[in-house]
Amino acid sequence: MKRLMIIALLAVAATASAQENDTVVIHNPKKVTIVTSDSLQKIIVAGKEGDDKFTYQNTIQLVDSNYVSTTHIGRDRWELIPSVKVGKKRDNNRGRGSSNSLSAHFGLGFTAPTNADARADFSTFKSWEIFATLIQWDHHFDYREHNTVSLGFGIDWKNYRMTDDMRFTKAPDGNVVLQKYPLQVSPDFSRIKVFSLTVNLSYTYSFDDDFWIGFGPVVNFNTYASIKTEYSMYGDDIKKLEKDIRQRPITIDWMLRLGVGGVPLYVKYSNDDVLKDGGVKFRSLSFGLYL
């Protein structure tokens, strides 16, 4: 009897779809949920062959002897780069077993330095961070992928900008110092940029597709850094670039990642000063989107 009811409900949904000239074929769904009431029928399909995060929803609601049909097909809209499964799962039908996948990620945010020299007035929303995890290995401890450990390799650019009457400059000993602009100068900006090769390790717990939390270290191998200052003087636009500014070769960021309502966010903080001893003191704090 139960099978007959399910078949009847699926037939009604298929009829509604056919009237709209829409046909959906889902191979090997992981979970099918059917909700019915006097005026509502809803079918939810979670997962399909080759895509455990696929979702399909079809809702038919009776309104004044007519029905209103709504269909949603898709995945988390923020997942721009899909993961690739590697290896095999065990005990799929029982919800047990581990799996592995390869993925890539992209981050875009702002920097807000902490523990900074009192004379350095950083402009947070004019300072940015861009990073990419070019390849990441993800080990999922369970079939539903609630518990995951990840190891990734990537690149990172951080930019720390000031727009007031102070500028960064390189002293004769190679250290970065703060200096005021001459009175006749109209400042534009002065910034420090750091480029890094990165290795990250993290643990993530997913409550569901819309709510998850992850934490772990990001080791930065800071291979390049420079100062760029732009200003106007006597009507002329002047740009000054200085390299070899004695950045710390290795720093560690602690990254917290959150998925809230399907929106992926991140916060990074480092206990290390960006520059070596003798230079301007500040530490890196950044936040933004993690895709």
Side-chain angles (χ1 to χ4, degrees):
M1 182 66 179
K2 182 178 179 181
R3 290 184 178 179
L4 290 175
M5 291 179 65
I6 293 175
I7 292 171
L9 291 171
L10 290 172
V12 172
T15 301
S17 297
Q19 291 176 353
E20 294 182 359
N21 297 318
D22 187 16
T23 301
V24 178
V25 179
I26 303 172
H27 295 285
N28 298 327
K30 303 299 181 183
K31 181 179 179 182
V32 178
T33 304
I34 301 174
V35 181
T36 60
S37 65
D38 293 338
S39 61
L40 177 70
Q41 178 193 82
K42 186 173 186 179
I43 299 174
I44 304 171
V45 180
K48 69 174 182 178
E49 183 177 338
D51 189 352
D52 291 342
K53 295 185 178 181
F54 172 86
T55 59
Y56 169 86
Q57 296 183 26
N58 181 273
T59 302
I60 299 176
Q61 185 174 7
L62 293 177
V63 180
D64 297 330
S65 298
N66 296 312
Y67 74 83
V68 177
S69 177
T70 304
T71 301
H72 171 75
I73 303 175
R75 303 178 61 172
D76 184 355
R77 65 184 183 278
W78 291 97
E79 190 172 353
L80 300 180
I81 307 174
S83 61
V84 178
K85 301 294 182 183
V86 293
K88 296 182 178 179
K89 295 182 179 179
R90 301 186 304 272
D91 298 330
N92 288 356
N93 295 331
R94 299 182 181 182
R96 298 196 300 269
S98 61
S99 66
N100 299 292
S101 63
L102 296 177
S103 60
H105 300 276
F106 179 78
L108 178 64
F110 301 101
T111 61
T114 65
N115 294 72
D117 187 301
R119 298 172 297 162
D121 187 12
F122 291 96
S123 301
T124 296
F125 293 104
K126 293 183 179 180
S127 304
W128 44 261
E129 177 183 30
I130 298 175
F131 66 91
T133 303
L134 302 177
I135 186 168
Q136 179 170 292
W137 171 75
D138 303 306
H139 178 72
H140 313 287
F141 287 93
D142 54 277
Y143 171 63
R144 295 297 181 187
E145 301 182 3
H146 291 303
N147 296 275
T148 302
V149 170
S150 303
L151 176 66
F153 302 89
I155 53 179
D156 183 288
W157 291 267
K158 290 188 180 79
N159 180 300
Y160 309 96
R161 180 179 294 222
M162 298 188 302
T163 57
D164 61 357
D165 59 351
M166 299 294 294
R167 61 178 174 175
F168 299 111
T169 190
K170 182 179 176 181
D173 61 2
N175 288 317
V176 177
V177 297
L178 291 171
Q179 187 180 73
K180 279 198 170 186
Y181 290 96
L183 293 177
Q184 64 271 24
V185 164
S186 177
D188 187 3
F189 69 85
S190 184
R191 64 97 176 115
I192 290 175
K193 178 176 71 175
V194 180
F195 172 80
S196 312
L197 302 175
T198 62
V199 178
N200 68 76
L201 178 67
S202 65
Y203 167 76
T204 304
Y205 184 83
S206 298
F207 297 90
D208 54 44
D209 287 344
D210 292 332
F211 182 36
W212 47 266
I213 183 170
F215 182 75
V218 181
V219 181
N220 304 293
F221 298 92
N222 306 311
T223 61
Y224 174 84
S226 66
I227 298 171
K228 186 176 183 180
T229 301
E230 295 188 7
Y231 56 92
S232 299
M233 185 168 63
Y234 301 122
D236 295 326
D237 294 329
I238 298 173
K239 299 180 182 180
K240 184 178 181 182
L241 180 66
E242 298 172 281
K243 302 179 181 180
D244 300 323
I245 61 172
R246 301 191 74 242
Q247 75 277 9
R248 287 192 180 276
I250 299 176
T251 55
I252 297 177
D253 292 332
W254 295 95
M255 181 163 65
L256 174 68
R257 297 177 292 108
L258 290 172
V260 182
V263 180
L265 306 171
Y266 82 90
V267 178
K268 286 184 186 179
Y269 174 71
S270 177
N271 291 317
D272 303 312
D273 290 321
V274 173
L275 303 175
K276 291 182 179 180
D277 293 340
V280 177
K281 295 292 186 182
F282 65 95
R283 297 177 182 176
S284 180
L285 171 68
S286 59
F287 57 93
L289 289 174
Y290 181 88
L291 305 176

